[in-house]
Amino acid sequence: MRALLFFVIGAFASAQNLPEVLKQGENVFTKSCATGYCHGARGTTGGAPRLAARGFDQNFISDTVMRGVPTTAMPAFATTLSRADLTAVVAYVASLNGIANPTIAGSGGPSGSTAGPAAAKLSGDAARGRALFSDAVRGFGRCSTCHEIGGFGIAVATPIAKVPADAAALKALATPQVSTVTLGSESMPALMVSKKANAVIFYDLTTPPPVLRTESPASVQTRDGSTWRHASVIGAYSDAELTSILAYLRAVAKP
Amino acid sequence: MRIPAFLFLALVPLSAQDAGVTRADWPHYGGTQFSWRYSALDQVNTSNVKNLLPAWIFQTGDYTENLGSTPIVSGGVLYLISAGARVFALDAAKGTLIWQYRYPTARPGIAGSHSDFIQNRGVAVGDGKVIFGTKDNFVVALDQKTGHEVWKVSVDDPKQCGCNITGAPLIVKDKVIVGGNGGDQAHRGYLTAFYTKNGRAAWRWYVVPGPGEKGNETWKGDSWRFGGGAPWLTGSFDADLNLVYWGTGNAAADFYDADRVAPGTNKSKDVNLYTASMVALDADTGKLRWYFQEVPDDVWDFDSSYEVLLMDRQIRGQMRKILVHMNKSGLTFVFDRVTGEFLSSFNVPELSNWITGVTEDGKLVGRNEPEMGKTKNLCPSAAGAKSWNSMAYSPRTGFLYTPTNEICTDITPNDTKPTEGRFFMNGDFPMKLPPNRTTYSHVDAWDPVTGKRIWSVPYKFVLLSSMLATAGDLVFTGDPEGNFFALDARTGNKLWSFQTGAGHRGGSISYSVNGRQYIAVTTGFQQTVVGGAVLGMFPEENFRAGSTLVVFALPEGSR
């Protein structure tokens, strides 16, 4: 496993000199590791163990950064930091442990999260759409309440296969997968997840956010079709904003 | 029309005394929704507490960040949740397992943010359901009888907000209200209410008002977007007034205010609303009814998120419905809970240099703020004069029982710009033991009306476990060394102590089954965040991890 990790890190040739990498590593450390509840500034003090001057070797540091420490608040950063940031932060922590020339193969890439498409690659309109898609200010009215893209959002709906042409088409979207569930005297729009002998599991779409409900098959009646309309849950956005969101969806759509 | 006597009795409003005490059950996180952590049971009392012995123990098997929750007891069944959200229903008399539920592996949040802190402080039980929040921001309702999932709803995306739910929910009538953490990050805190019946959202109240809402003008530019304020613990409820009371979190960034407070702002009142405030919300709509900002422009990480104690007391000859609330600084406020009028305050820690005092109308005087380019030693620390563990209140003595820590901090602020969901504290704040002391905490009894300390019992390390008061005139709590002990509620004399084998970070409760009184305590010392900081301050000590519920009773036949 260790060899594999180094293969992954080592596959990207160095394009930066050590001081630049250490600077990048310090920036990553400041943002993701140095809060006082965790390792503190320069890894000297905080709620989590001290990291400076512990005599750690670089392999140990790399392993721990990549995999985290199970059952503690120390997360695995392997999938949440870019390769360049991982290399840089490992080199930085190595430097805190007196390693004068840490290995920096794999450095030189962009800083930032690996989750989601890199904002830098998107056009202005698509980048605006990306921010709108998961805009916290919209509360439960944002797209990411029901749609997940690139690790962001809640995957209630199935992945977006076909991007509507414009805002009007987005509002008029046909949603044949939404059915009607009747429980007692109440009917509701529903997205069926599974029907088993002992449980019917579905999303209740009555009001955002969708609620994953588990009911006994005897109490549930289902029928195809619903009065639910996609237009009713995207009212938090203007047409211009929806157009930007569509530009984003087109930019990240799988061919 | 004649009203049958029994009906008439049922219509008489409960007095605060009745609404505040628990009896056979321990129905809510804070005992009752008045949050006294006080049991009216008195079978165990000052004269026989020395005979207390373990009746049963239960190990959760989940050693992830130990056991910091407070159990719930309802109808002879004890409901317990572990840090990793394993939920257990146990026979409260024997400890045998009735059902268990294991939350699947939580979706990862943002590495190195609040969303990767693993804690769970408790479930709420009501409407036939056991309801809790999760590390990845779901609220889950289980069938109280079977432990099967009934509904589950996402409150927020941990990948984006870097936040999660660690506090116990509060069930109010037909709704369950949950807060969340993330106020030390670029995040905007809120409370959300869901219908217990079906999990549908009922209302959301944002701590930081948006554009066009009153209070938004107390934020510089668009700093309100990442203004923090996350209400991460559990509020209280007064059914007569139909008001939910909740304390809100600190403003973000924690230690640096130049990007959220306009130059020349008068800091005596209402800055960065409604952070570090006590708020009263309409239970049905979530609309703000009154507020009082305890720390305007908080630059010390002094949340107002802690428990809210509701009681009725004589003040200047008049019976008042009051609310007693300790800010993280240890400054404790008394309000009229009907109107929000400030009545008085008193300061609980012995070391306090962040302000010099408080005016008669509740304004802070002599603010000693962190300064750019300097490192200042300030007391108390961001870990709190009290941490999130709750105090208790006994209506028999009229005293509050508080676990107080005397820890300071060296604050060095910085002006880092925010990234959504990432830590946005803007300061380094290593905890420091103050010089010239041999003890760093104390259990105190305070009279909330006079603001006088009645007694104080020092302890050499720190106290991070909730208090329990009982009608046996006992006060229980645990320490990091693993001792669970009972003090005389009137004198503070230690009457009993038991080594439970692991440090204490959770809560203790009392309940009865078939006439036998039990006292239950969660054990296992938190190894990161505040618990971790404490371990760092006492490097010679080994405050042991674990995840065990220990339940005590008087031996059969000895009562």
Side-chain angles (χ1 to χ4, degrees):
Chain A
M1 183 63 188
R2 179 174 294 182
L4 177 67
L5 293 176
F6 273 86
F7 173 76
V8 170
I9 290 177
F12 292 80
S14 168
Q16 275 186 313
N17 62 28
L18 184 58
E20 283 173 27
V21 173
L22 292 180
K23 185 70 203 162
Q24 181 176 349
E26 186 178 2
N27 289 340
V28 174
F29 192 86
T30 301
K31 268 252 168 4
S32 295
C33 320
T35 171
Y37 286 123
C38 299
H39 300 293
R42 294 167 300 283
T44 50
T45 177
R50 180 170 58 85
L51 298 183
R54 294 285 302 274
F56 295 154
D57 70 24
Q58 195 170 352
N59 284 357
F60 174 79
I61 296 164
S62 179
D63 265 14
T64 309
V65 169
M66 299 289 276
R67 296 179 191 172
V69 180
T71 81
T72 74
M74 174 66 190
F77 284 91
T79 58
T80 54
L81 291 178
S82 70
R83 279 182 284 266
D85 281 350
L86 283 169
T87 307
V89 78
V90 168
Y92 174 69
V93 176
S95 77
L96 298 179
N97 283 275
I99 299 170
N101 283 300
T103 311
I104 57 168
S107 66
S111 202
S113 167
T114 55
K121 289 182 202 153
L122 298 173
S123 70
D125 203 26
R128 186 160 162 262
R130 179 186 196 255
L132 287 166
F133 182 87
S134 53
D135 183 9
V137 175
R138 320 274 161 160
F140 293 128
R142 59 183 171 174
C143 308
S144 61
T145 298
C146 305
H147 297 276
E148 184 256 356
I149 292 180
F152 288 89
I154 310 301
V156 174
T158 49
I160 299 164
K162 196 172 159 216
V163 181
D166 53 26
L170 185 62
K171 286 179 186 169
L173 197 68
T175 50
Q177 66 276 38
V178 179
S179 58
T180 300
V181 159
T182 303
L183 265 174
S185 60
E186 194 190 9
S187 291
M188 65 200 79
L191 199 57
M192 199 53 63
V193 174
S194 75
K195 280 184 185 174
K196 289 178 189 155
N198 59 348
V200 177
I201 302 176
F202 63 93
Y203 282 103
D204 174 354
L205 304 183
T206 302
T207 184
V211 184
L212 188 68
R213 296 176 65 170
T214 305
E215 299 287 345
S216 77
S219 65
V220 172
Q221 287 183 305
T222 58
R223 65 178 166 82
D224 289 348
S226 166
T227 56
W228 186 88
R229 293 293 174 264
H230 194 241
S232 70
V233 292
I234 57 178
Y237 298 105
S238 68
D239 280 6
E241 289 170 334
L242 291 174
T243 304
S244 298
I245 290 165
L246 290 169
Y248 166 59
L249 297 180
R250 273 189 286 276
V252 299
K254 300 261 188 317
Chain B
M1 183 177 115
R2 286 192 59 180
I3 299 170
F6 68 90
L7 250 187
F8 185 74
L9 278 174
L11 292 172
V12 173
L14 293 172
S15 70
Q17 179 104 346
D18 288 330
V21 308
T22 66
R23 298 180 194 282
D25 288 350
W26 185 273
H28 296 285
Y29 178 72
T32 71
Q33 293 190 320
F34 277 24
S35 303
W36 295 357
R37 288 183 181 254
Y38 172 82
S39 167
L41 301 178
D42 59 3
Q43 189 176 85
V44 180
N45 54 48
T46 51
S47 59
N48 63 14
V49 65
K50 62 181 184 294
N51 300 324
L52 265 191
L53 283 173
W56 56 270
I57 66 170
F58 181 80
Q59 301 207 35
T60 70
D62 175 9
Y63 300 100
T64 310
E65 283 293 7
N66 304 286
L67 195 56
S69 64
T70 297
I72 298 293
V73 173
S74 176
V77 180
L78 185 146
Y79 301 91
L80 177 69
I81 189 165
S82 69
R86 296 186 202 178
V87 185
F88 305 91
L90 305 168
D91 180 313
K94 298 178 196 146
T96 48
L97 187 67
I98 298 168
W99 55 254
Q100 59 183 318
Y101 166 91
R102 188 170 183 159
Y103 188 68
T105 303
R107 185 165 169 250
I110 297 173
S113 76
H114 268 302
S115 59
D116 271 310
F117 289 176
I118 306 166
Q119 294 183 63
N120 197 307
R121 300 190 177 91
V123 299
V125 176
D127 190 24
K129 300 178 183 76
V130 177
I131 305 178
F132 58 94
T134 73
K135 178 178 172 291
D136 53 355
N137 280 317
F138 280 86
V139 176
V140 179
L142 306 178
D143 184 295
Q144 190 179 345
K145 290 221 158 53
T146 64
H148 295 155
E149 260 185 32
V150 180
W151 55 256
K152 175 181 166 182
V153 63
S154 167
V155 180
D156 208 335
D157 180 1
K159 271 272 188 226
Q160 186 177 352
C161 68
C163 63
N164 67 21
I165 303 168
T166 57
L170 183 75
I171 293 178
V172 172
K173 303 201 289 190
D174 60 343
K175 300 180 186 74
V176 58
I177 306 172
V178 286
N181 65 18
D184 296 323
Q185 297 171 191
H187 174 61
R188 179 183 173 217
Y190 48 74
L191 290 170
T192 317
F194 299 91
Y195 290 100
T196 55
K197 183 184 168 200
N198 52 30
R200 290 178 193 155
W203 52 257
R204 172 172 280 187
W205 180 76
Y206 282 98
V207 172
V208 180
E213 294 176 311
K214 189 179 168 296
N216 182 264
E217 72 285 355
T218 65
W219 294 85
K220 181 179 169 186
D222 64 357
S223 61
W224 60 273
R225 280 173 175 269
F226 297 147
W232 47 283
L233 287 170
T234 305
S236 293
F237 175 57
D238 184 326
D240 289 346
L241 299 171
N242 200 38
L243 290 177
V244 169
Y245 300 95
W246 221 288
T248 66
N250 55 279
D254 298 47
F255 302 113
Y256 173 78
D257 65 358
D259 290 336
R260 55 178 163 84
V261 178
T265 298
N266 174 358
K267 295 187 177 182
S268 68
K269 193 171 184 253
D270 293 357
V271 185
N272 294 156
L273 291 175
Y274 298 92
T275 62
S277 301
M278 177 50 52
V279 300
L281 305 180
D282 182 288
D284 300 322
T285 64
K287 296 270 183 279
L288 184 67
R289 290 289 176 244
W290 63 256
Y291 72 93
F292 186 96
Q293 190 174 41
E294 295 176 347
V295 186
D297 182 20
D298 172 25
V299 284
W300 304 271
D301 189 7
F302 284 162
D303 294 67
S304 292
S305 319
Y306 294 166
E307 71 282 3
V308 186
L309 285 76
L310 312 181
M311 58 189 77
D312 295 355
R313 291 288 297 260
Q314 287 268 348
I315 294 186
R316 292 183 279 274
Q318 211 188 344
M319 199 59 147
R320 302 286 292 260
K321 289 175 182 291
I322 66 169
L323 179 164
V324 179
H325 181 253
M326 186 187 286
N327 177 266
K328 206 203 247 180
S329 62
L331 185 60
T332 304
F333 292 80
V334 181
F335 302 108
D336 179 315
R337 75 173 179 275
V338 182
T339 63
E341 178 194 355
F342 170 89
L343 298 174
S344 60
S345 71
F346 52 96
N347 195 36
V348 168
E350 290 162 7
L351 294 176
S352 209
N353 67 0
W354 66 289
I355 48 170
T356 54
V358 180
T359 63
E360 284 190 357
D361 57 351
K363 293 189 173 73
L364 308 180
V365 179
R367 294 167 64 102
N368 181 13
E369 301 186 358
E371 284 178 55
M372 279 297 276
K374 287 189 184 169
T375 297
K376 263 194 190 180
N377 186 257
L378 289 159
C379 315
S381 78
K386 180 173 78 62
S387 186
W388 53 259
N389 45 309
S390 299
M391 51 186 170
Y393 170 72
S394 165
R396 281 173 57 86
T397 61
F399 302 152
L400 297 171
Y401 299 97
T402 63
T404 307
N405 298 321
E406 303 290 348
I407 305 290
C408 301
T409 182
D410 282 345
I411 300 181
T412 314
N414 64 57
D415 59 358
T416 309
K417 300 304 169 203
T419 303
E420 184 173 15
R422 300 300 176 108
F423 268 108
F424 184 37
M425 300 190 77
N426 283 13
D428 196 31
F429 56 103
M431 312 292 172
K432 288 283 160 76
L433 291 177
N436 309 317
R437 285 184 75 102
T438 53
T439 62
Y440 299 97
S441 66
H442 38 100
V443 175
D444 301 343
W446 287 80
D447 183 329
V449 173
T450 63
K452 294 273 183 288
R453 186 161 93 172
I454 309 300
W455 52 255
S456 181
V457 179
Y459 173 62
K460 61 181 168 174
F461 304 123
V462 298
L463 291 160
L464 296 174
S465 178
S466 292
M467 311 297 299
L468 166 69
T470 72
D473 281 346
L474 296 169
V475 175
F476 292 88
T477 195
D479 67 31
E481 296 172 281
N483 303 300
F484 182 57
F485 55 91
L487 306 177
D488 184 316
R490 296 183 187 279
T491 63
N493 289 338
K494 189 176 280 189
L495 301 176
W496 172 81
S497 182
F498 187 92
Q499 174 53 252
T500 60
H504 290 242
R505 184 60 168 129
S508 46
I509 65 167
S510 189
Y511 62 92
S512 69
V513 182
N514 297 328
R516 189 180 191 197
Q517 183 183 359
Y518 296 86
I519 290 155
V521 62
T522 53
T523 70
F525 197 71
Q526 182 191 30
Q527 302 293 301
T528 56
V529 200
V530 172
V534 166
L535 289 169
M537 280 186 284
F538 303 103
E540 306 302 314
E541 303 304 319
N542 174 19
F543 300 144
R544 293 177 302 280
S547 186
T548 303
L549 182 77
V550 186
V551 182
F552 298 90
L554 294 173
E556 294 278 15
S558 80
R559 308 197 292 271

